[in-house]
Amino acid sequence: MGEATREVLERWERSGAIWRVRTLSESAAVIDLCTCFGEPVETLRATQPDVLRYLAARASSEDA
């Protein structure tokens, strides 16, 4: 399981794929990287405070 950064999530989204938060706590998050059809491909973990704040405000790339 790799480490998620905002850059990784934004790059994934720009490529037309989807990411979704699977779990989120104050200290960590688990994010699924999915195909454009929503099928999980890879799972990432986030522990950086700025990434956790970003994910708290936006639980999926499908959120506006």
Side-chain angles (χ1 to χ4, degrees):
M1 187 179 314
E3 181 72 19
T5 63
R6 280 189 66 169
E7 293 80 21
V8 168
L9 298 175
E10 290 167 354
R11 184 175 62 238
W12 192 259
E13 186 175 350
R14 279 193 308 272
S15 72
I18 300 166
W19 57 263
R20 293 187 186 118
V21 175
R22 185 188 311 170
T23 62
L24 176 63
S25 71
E26 291 181 10
S27 59
V30 175
I31 304 106
D32 286 329
L33 299 181
C34 305
T35 67
C36 59
F37 299 109
E39 300 161 344
V41 175
E42 187 176 348
T43 301
L44 300 178
R45 179 177 171 84
T47 56
Q48 299 171 339
D50 65 318
V51 177
L52 297 175
R53 284 190 298 273
Y54 178 72
L55 297 173
R58 190 168 184 224
S60 168
S61 59
E62 299 172 304
D63 293 347

